Amino acid sequence: MFTYRTKLVAGFAALFLVLLIANTVDHFYISKLYRPLNEIEEACQKRHYTSNLLLTLKDVLTSHNDYLITGNPVEKENIMNLMEQIDNMLKIIAKTTLKYEEQALLKIAQPKFEEIKHLAEEIFAIENPIGNKTGSELMKRMDTSAYVLKKYLERTNEIHHEKTISAINNTKSLYKLESKIYWISVLFSVVFATVIGLFIYHAGNELQRRTKQIESAKQEWERTFDAVKDFVTIHDKDFNIIRVNKATAERFNTTPEALIGKKCYEVFHCTSEPTSMCPHKKTIETGEPSVAELDDPYLGGIFYTLSYPLINESGEVYGSVHIMRDVTEQKKADQKVKDEAEINKAVLTVAKFISSTMDVETITQNVVQITPSLVKCDRCVMLLWDDKQNVLLPMAYHGLEANLVPVFKALRIKPGEIKAVDEIKKQKTTMVIEDPINSPLLPSELVNTFKIGPNIMTPIISRGEVMGMLIIDYIKEHCTLGPRQIAIVEGIAAQTGIALENARLYRESMDRMMELEHHVQTIQALHDIDISILSTVNRDEILETSVQMIRRIIPCDRITVVTVDKEAKCFKYVAGFGIEFPKGLIVPFEDTNATEVLRTGRPISRPNFFFEKNLLPLDRKFMEQGFRSDIRIPIKVKEEIVALLNIGSYRIAAYTPEHLSTAEKLATQFGVALEHARLFQDLQDLLINTVKTLATTIDAKSPWTRGHSERVTKLAINIGRKMELTQKEIDDLQFAGLLHDIGKIGTSEHIIDKPGKLTDEEFAIVKEHPSKGAEIIKPIKQFENVIQGVLQHHERIDGMGYPNGLKNGGIHILGKILALADAYDAMTSERPYRKGLGWDKTIAEIKRCAGTQFDPTVVDAFLSTMEKGLPA
C-alpha cells in the first residue's frame, strides 16, 4: 500500500526528472552559444594577422624608400626578413577558414605580393640605387602594387571586422534566448512538478482506495466462495486441487488447506486415476465447459458436476473450476413429479381413448391395457353385467397367463356365487382384499385357480347402477394397496362407466340413424333401379346395374342372379359378384339347395351354414369359400319363377327380417325389369326377322345375289366388334347390313343379271340404289345411323365413290365397314359377268386398296377377323 512518504518521494522524483530535462535543453542552447564565440575568436585572429600583415607591408615599403634614398645595404636583409614574414602571414591566413569573398581577395593579394617581392629583389640588385632611374621606376611600380595589395588586405580586414561584429551580435541574441529558456524551463519545471505531484498524490489516493476495494472484494469473494453449499474446487492440469471452498472441506471433515495439493479423483472418488466420466478431464482436453451427472457410491448420492476451463493470456488451458451439486433429493423429487406426470398422462390417455371411441370392446380393452402402467399391477380384468342372462361376463383382460385365458372367458358369475361381487353391487363401493387366500369374500377355488393376489375390486357404475367391475391384483411381489392406487382405479372405473354409457347411447342413436338411412337408401335404390329399367332394355345390363345397387342397402360379400331353365332342370349364372364361378355357369338342380325356393315359391334365409343339414355341392362350395349366411329370393314374372336372387355374407346371421323384406321388393322390381326386357327383345326379334325377310326378298331377285345381305351383315358385325363398337352401333350395323341394297328393289333384273359390261346409262341406274335405299328407310326415326350406312356403303375415302363422292372424314363408320364387307362378298361371289376372285386375290386386292378405297383401320380389323377364306 502506498504511503504519503512514498507519494512525496514519487513527486520529487518527477520534479528531478523535469529539471533534468530542462537542463538538458539549456545545455543544448549553451553549446550553440559556444559556436559564435569560436567564430569571434577566429575572426579576431584573422583580423590580427591581417593588421600585422599591413604593418609589415608598411615597414617593407618604408625600408625600400630608405634604401633607395640612403642606399643603406643593411636594410636589405631586414626587408627580406619582413618579406618572409609577409609570405608566412599570407600562408597562415590561407590555412584559416575563409568565406568565398575572403578567398577571392586572398587569391588577388598573393600575386601582388609576389610581384612586390620580385620588385624588391630587383631594387636590391641595383648597386647604386640613389638617384637611379631604374630604381625609382621599380619603386613606383612597387608602390603601386603595394597600394593595390593594401586595398585588398584592408578589404579583407573589413570583412573580418564585420564577421566579428556579426558573431558578437549572434552571441548576444543567443545569450538572451538562453536566459529566457532558462527561466521558462525553471517555471515549467515548477509547474510540471506541481502537476505531477498532484497527479501522483491523487493517483496514490485512488490506488489506495481501489486496493481497499480489491481487498474487500477478495474477502467478499472468499466469503461467497465459502458460502456456496455446492462442492467448489479449482484444479490444475495435473488434477491437483489448488483451491477448495468451505463446503468441500466440511464434506470430508477437514480444512481447505488440508485438501490443497491432493489429486481430485483421490479425494472425491477414492480412485487411483480419473474416472471415465470425469468432466475436468474433458475440459482440459477440449478447452470447453463439460457437464456430467455422477451416481457416486463413495460420496453416497447423485451429483450434477460442471467443469469450466481456466485459460491464460496465451489461450492455453491451465486448469478448471469444478462444481459438484448434490442433486440426490432433487432427483427423487423429480422422479416423483415424473411419476405423477406419467400417471396424469396415462389417465388422460385413458380418457382420450375411451372418449374417442364408441365401441364397447375397444373401450374395455384400452382400459385394461393402460391401467397396469398406472398402478404398477400385474393383472387387470374387466367384467360387465349382462341383464338378459343376469350374469357377470368377462369382457377384457391383461396379464393373464395363457392357460388361464380360456378359464377366464368361460366365467359366468351369477348373483350369490361370490360374496365380494354381491357386496360391491349392493354397496356400490370399492373393495380392497389384502389377503385373498384367507378372505371369506372370495371362493378358495377361484383364488387357487387364478392364483389371486392382493387386489382392488372397483364397481363400474352407470345411471346409478353397477354395470360391471374393474379388478387389479399383484401376484409377483407383495404390494401395500394404498389410497393412491385406489383413487386411480376408482377414477378409471368412473371414466369407464361414462364411456360405456356414452357408447350405449351412441349405439342406440346410430341404430336408429342407420335404420332411417337404410330406409332412405332402400327407397333411393328402388328409384335408381326403376330408372335403370327404363333406361335400358338389355337384360344383362339391367341385372348387373341392379346388383351393384343392392350392395348399397344390404351388407353383403356376394350377390348372384341365376335364371331358371325348368326344361333343362338347371340354373344359369347371369349377373353378380363375389364368387369364384364364371358368368354363364350352368348348375343342375340336383347340385344346389336353391331348388327349395322353386319348390316352395318363398324366400329362404340361412343364418349359419354350419347348422344346415344335407348341403349340396354348390352350397358346400360357398361354405368353403368362407360364406356363413345368405338369403335367396325368387324373381317372378306373371307368378312364374324365372330367376333367383342370392345375397351372401361371411358373417353369421348377417341378415335381418328387414333385409329380407328389402330384398323381396328388389326381386319384384327385377321381375318387372326382366319382363320389360323380354317384351322389348320380342319386338327387336320381330323387327330383325322382318328386315331379314325383306333383305331375302331383295336378294332373291337374282340367283347371283342370294344370301348376299346376310353374309355382308355377318362380316360387318365381326369387324364392328373387333373395332369395339358399342352395342347400339352393332345393332345399327346389323340393320344397315341387311338393308344396304334395299334400293335395288326398283332396279331391273335385266341390269342385275346382265352377263356383260353395263353401259353408262345402266351403271348410272345402279349407282342410284344407295340414295333410293336411304329414301325408303328415312321415315323410320330409329334408323338415323342406319340411313348413313345404307347411303354411304359405296363411298371411297379418296372421294372417288358414289353417290356423293365423300372423303374419309365425311363418311360414317357404318358406311366404311359396309363398304369393305360388301366389296369382299362381291369379289368372292360368282357373278354373271365374271367368276369369284378367290380368297387370296381378294385379300391382296383389299390390302392394295387400303388408304384409297377402304379405311386402313377397318382393313386392319377385317384382316384380324379372317381365317383362310372364311370370316371369323
Side-chain angles (χ1 to χ4, degrees):
M1 181 182 297
F2 288 99
T3 62
Y4 292 106
R5 183 180 297 173
T6 304
K7 296 177 184 177
L8 184 60
V9 171
F12 278 113
L15 179 61
F16 173 77
L17 180 62
V18 171
L19 292 175
L20 180 63
I21 294 172
N23 288 329
T24 301
V25 174
D26 187 52
H27 174 73
F28 172 75
Y29 278 99
I30 289 174
S31 64
K32 292 191 71 175
L33 182 63
Y34 288 146
R35 194 178 305 158
L37 291 176
N38 291 334
E39 291 177 357
I40 294 171
E41 182 179 357
E42 183 180 355
C44 290
Q45 186 178 7
K46 289 179 181 180
R47 188 176 181 186
H48 173 71
Y49 287 152
T50 308
S51 299
N52 288 339
L53 185 60
L54 288 172
L55 292 175
T56 304
L57 182 59
K58 181 178 180 183
D59 290 341
V60 170
L61 294 175
T62 303
S63 298
H64 275 78
N65 291 328
D66 290 342
Y67 174 71
L68 291 175
I69 295 172
T70 62
N72 189 1
V74 179
E75 294 296 329
K76 176 181 179 182
E77 184 176 349
N78 292 333
I79 291 173
M80 295 308 294
N81 289 332
L82 290 173
M83 295 294 283
E84 288 296 328
Q85 290 179 10
I86 292 172
D87 188 35
N88 290 332
M89 287 180 184
L90 287 174
K91 290 180 181 178
I92 291 171
I93 293 173
K95 291 180 180 178
T96 60
T97 303
L98 300 176
K99 290 188 177 180
Y100 176 77
E101 187 178 0
E102 292 174 326
Q103 290 178 355
L105 292 172
L106 190 61
K107 285 181 180 180
I108 297 173
Q110 188 72 29
K112 289 295 179 181
F113 174 74
E114 292 294 331
E115 183 180 354
I116 291 171
K117 185 179 179 182
H118 180 68
L119 290 173
E121 290 177 353
E122 289 184 356
I123 291 172
F124 284 120
I126 299 174
E127 292 182 359
N128 187 12
I130 301 172
N132 191 305
K133 184 180 181 178
T134 302
S136 299
E137 291 177 357
L138 291 173
M139 192 64 193
K140 289 179 180 179
R141 289 173 59 190
M142 186 175 179
D143 287 339
T144 302
S145 298
Y147 178 78
V148 174
L149 178 60
K150 181 181 178 182
K151 290 295 182 184
Y152 284 118
L153 291 177
E154 287 177 352
R155 177 61 186 155
T156 303
N157 199 27
E158 289 175 2
I159 291 173
H160 292 334
H161 176 72
E162 291 173 358
K163 184 176 180 181
T164 302
I165 296 302
S166 176
I168 291 171
N169 291 334
N170 290 339
T171 302
K172 289 180 179 179
S173 299
L174 287 173
Y175 178 77
K176 291 178 181 180
L177 179 62
E178 189 275 337
S179 180
K180 291 179 181 179
I181 290 173
Y182 173 76
W183 289 110
I184 289 172
S185 65
V186 170
L187 179 62
F188 178 78
S189 299
V190 172
V191 173
F192 186 76
T194 303
V195 171
I196 293 298
L198 291 173
F199 176 78
I200 292 175
Y201 178 79
H202 287 292
N205 287 339
E206 181 66 18
L207 182 62
Q208 184 177 2
R209 184 180 66 80
R210 294 198 178 187
T211 302
K212 290 181 179 179
Q213 288 181 344
I214 292 172
E215 290 292 332
S216 176
K218 177 176 176 292
Q219 295 174 1
E220 184 66 25
W221 180 85
E222 288 177 346
R223 287 194 295 270
T224 303
F225 186 70
D226 289 333
V228 176
K229 300 304 179 183
D230 298 333
F231 302 159
V232 183
T233 56
I234 300 176
H235 307 159
D236 63 13
K237 291 180 65 175
D238 299 325
F239 299 88
N240 297 313
I241 299 175
I242 58 178
R243 189 67 183 256
V244 297
N245 67 339
K246 186 176 180 181
T248 306
E250 290 176 352
R251 175 65 179 79
F252 296 100
N253 297 320
T254 185
T255 62
E257 292 76 13
L259 296 177
I260 294 174
K262 293 185 178 181
K263 299 292 183 182
C264 62
Y265 48 81
E266 293 176 351
V267 173
F268 287 98
H269 310 300
C270 197
T271 59
S272 59
E273 59 183 12
T275 62
S276 60
M277 295 292 292
C278 178
H280 171 71
K281 181 179 179 182
K282 293 181 180 178
T283 299
I284 295 299
E285 292 174 351
T286 63
E288 298 291 336
S290 179
V291 179
E293 187 175 293
L294 305 175
D295 188 353
D296 198 322
Y298 176 71
L299 294 175
I302 302 172
F303 293 86
Y304 183 73
T305 307
L306 300 94
S307 181
Y308 298 96
L310 296 174
I311 302 174
N312 59 23
E313 296 177 354
S314 301
E316 298 176 349
V317 178
Y318 66 89
S320 72
V321 177
H322 199 270
I323 303 172
M324 292 181 66
R325 177 173 297 170
D326 189 346
V327 294
T328 306
E329 295 301 322
Q330 180 183 346
K331 283 292 180 181
K332 291 179 180 178
D334 290 346
Q335 186 61 42
K336 183 178 180 181
V337 171
K338 184 178 179 182
D339 292 342
E340 293 295 334
E342 289 180 355
I343 291 172
N344 293 335
K345 181 179 178 181
V347 171
L348 290 175
T349 302
V350 171
K352 176 182 177 181
F353 273 107
I354 63 179
S355 62
S356 62
T357 180
M358 294 299 173
D359 181 67
V360 173
E361 293 183 2
T362 304
I363 293 172
T364 57
Q365 193 60 42
N366 284 337
V367 170
V368 299
Q369 289 289 340
I370 297 173
T371 300
S373 65
L374 303 179
V375 295
K376 309 301 181 185
C377 65
D378 300 315
R379 297 187 299 193
C380 179
V381 298
M382 185 183 294
L383 300 97
L384 295 181
W385 194 263
D386 188 336
D387 291 328
K388 294 181 179 180
Q389 302 181 48
N390 196 28
V391 294
L392 196 62
L393 299 177
M395 282 300 297
Y397 61 90
H398 176 77
L400 283 179
E401 294 80 353
N403 62 317
L404 295 178
V405 171
V407 181
F408 173 74
K409 290 183 176 180
L411 284 177
R412 299 292 185 272
I413 302 174
K414 298 178 181 179
E417 288 185 348
I418 300 177
K419 292 182 179 180
V421 172
D422 295 339
E423 190 66 23
I424 291 172
K425 191 172 183 181
K426 179 181 178 181
Q427 300 294 333
K428 300 178 183 178
T429 58
T430 299
M431 181 173 292
V432 179
I433 301 177
E434 294 279 359
D435 186 9
I437 296 176
N438 300 315
S439 175
L441 299 173
L442 295 175
S444 58
E445 182 181 355
L446 183 66
V447 174
N448 294 329
T449 300
F450 288 96
K451 299 178 181 178
I452 300 174
N455 61 85
I456 299 175
M457 304 173 68
T458 304
I460 299 173
I461 300 174
S462 174
R463 291 180 295 176
E465 297 294 331
V466 176
M467 62 183 304
M469 284 192 296
L470 180 64
I471 304 173
I472 66 167
D473 71 334
Y474 299 83
I475 59 173
K476 294 181 180 179
E477 59 181 66
H478 180 74
C479 178
T480 301
L481 303 178
R484 176 177 171 274
Q485 289 98 327
I486 296 173
I488 292 175
V489 175
E490 287 180 342
I492 295 173
Q495 290 290 330
T496 304
I498 295 171
L500 292 175
E501 177 62 17
N502 291 337
R504 184 188 66 80
L505 296 174
Y506 175 78
R507 185 171 61 251
E508 290 179 357
S509 63
M510 286 301 296
D511 288 343
R512 293 192 183 95
M513 186 174 68
M514 289 177 65
E515 182 180 356
L516 178 60
E517 184 179 359
H518 178 73
H519 287 308
V520 172
Q521 288 184 350
T522 300
I523 295 171
Q524 183 64 43
L526 293 174
H527 175 68
D528 292 343
I529 291 173
D530 286 338
I531 294 175
S532 175
I533 291 171
L534 294 174
S535 63
T536 181
V537 292
N538 184 281
R539 183 198 68 178
D540 294 341
E541 187 176 345
I542 290 173
L543 292 177
E544 286 293 350
T545 303
S546 301
V547 161
Q548 295 302 324
M549 292 180 181
I550 291 174
R551 69 194 308 178
R552 289 164 41 188
I553 55 177
I554 299 179
C556 60
D557 297 301
R558 68 173 170 88
I559 298 177
T560 57
V561 177
V562 296
T563 57
V564 178
D565 189 342
K566 292 184 178 180
E567 294 182 359
K569 295 184 178 181
C570 65
F571 296 103
K572 182 180 180 181
Y573 175 35
V574 294
F577 65 87
I579 60 175
E580 299 176 357
F581 306 126
K583 302 286 177 62
L585 176 69
I586 302 298
V587 180
F589 284 169
E590 62 267 18
D591 288 346
T592 174
N593 296 90
T595 52
E596 184 67 19
V597 179
L598 297 180
R599 187 181 65 81
T600 61
R602 295 193 302 272
I604 293 178
S605 175
R606 297 186 294 179
N608 193 338
F609 288 177
F610 284 106
F611 297 113
E612 296 294 326
K613 298 180 180 179
N614 302 321
L615 289 178
L616 294 176
L618 179 64
D619 297 81
R620 284 200 301 270
K621 189 69 174 178
F622 284 154
M623 188 170 67
E624 291 171 2
Q625 292 178 5
F627 294 104
R628 293 295 177 264
S629 60
D630 67 0
I631 51 177
R632 284 171 169 164
I633 302 96
I635 299 174
K636 298 180 181 180
V637 174
K638 297 180 180 179
E639 299 302 323
E640 181 181 358
I641 299 175
V642 297
L644 296 182
L645 173 63
N646 193 327
I647 304 174
S649 174
Y650 294 135
R651 296 185 297 111
I652 297 174
Y655 302 108
T656 63
E658 186 175 359
H659 291 143
L660 185 61
S661 175
T662 302
E664 287 185 288
K665 294 176 183 178
L666 294 172
T668 301
Q669 283 189 297
F670 283 1
V672 174
L674 292 175
E675 177 62 12
H676 177 72
R678 185 186 65 78
L679 293 174
F680 181 82
Q681 189 62 44
D682 290 345
L683 291 175
Q684 188 81 349
D685 292 343
L686 177 61
L687 178 59
I688 291 174
N689 291 332
T690 301
V691 173
K692 284 183 178 181
T693 302
L694 182 58
T696 302
T697 303
I698 296 169
D699 292 343
K701 292 184 65 177
S702 171
W704 307 102
T705 59
R706 186 173 293 112
H708 168 72
S709 296
E710 289 193 11
R711 292 193 300 273
V712 170
T713 301
K714 182 178 180 181
L715 178 57
I717 290 173
N718 288 336
I719 295 172
R721 287 175 177 163
K722 194 67 180 179
M723 295 178 69
E724 298 182 352
L725 299 184
T726 64
Q727 185 59 45
K728 176 65 168 58
E729 290 173 325
I730 295 295
D731 292 341
D732 290 341
L733 187 59
Q734 182 181 17
F735 286 117
L738 293 173
L739 297 173
H740 76 283
D741 278 341
I742 192 173
K744 291 183 179 180
I745 196 168
T747 305
S748 172
E749 289 82 352
H750 164 72
I751 296 175
I752 295 173
D753 295 336
K754 184 177 179 180
K757 184 179 180 181
L758 297 177
T759 65
D760 292 342
E761 292 79 7
E762 291 172 339
F763 188 58
I765 294 173
V766 171
K767 288 197 295 183
E768 292 176 356
H769 79 274
S771 300
K772 290 181 179 180
E775 288 295 329
I776 292 172
I777 63 176
K778 186 176 181 180
I780 305 175
K781 295 181 179 180
Q782 291 81 358
F783 280 1
E784 181 180 357
N785 291 331
V786 175
I787 293 173
Q788 299 300 322
V790 172
L791 180 62
Q792 299 173 7
H793 74 276
H794 278 296
E795 297 285 358
R796 294 164 54 105
I797 65 171
D798 58 5
M800 301 302 293
Y802 63 87
N804 297 316
L806 301 176
K807 289 190 176 182
N808 185 28
I811 305 173
H812 196 278
I813 186 63
L814 301 187
K816 293 179 180 181
I817 294 173
L818 287 175
L820 193 149
D822 184 54
Y824 172 81
D825 188 72
M827 285 188 285
T828 56
S829 302
E830 297 287 336
R831 288 292 185 264
Y833 52 86
R834 63 160 174 79
K835 292 184 178 181
L837 294 181
W839 191 84
D840 291 334
K841 291 183 179 181
T842 302
I843 295 299
E845 181 67 15
I846 290 173
K847 289 181 179 179
R848 185 184 68 82
C849 294
T852 55
Q853 182 176 352
F854 308 119
D855 187 319
T857 305
V858 177
V859 172
D860 291 341
F862 162 76
L863 293 175
S864 65
T865 62
M866 299 299 292
E867 293 179 347
K868 184 68 174 178
L870 293 174

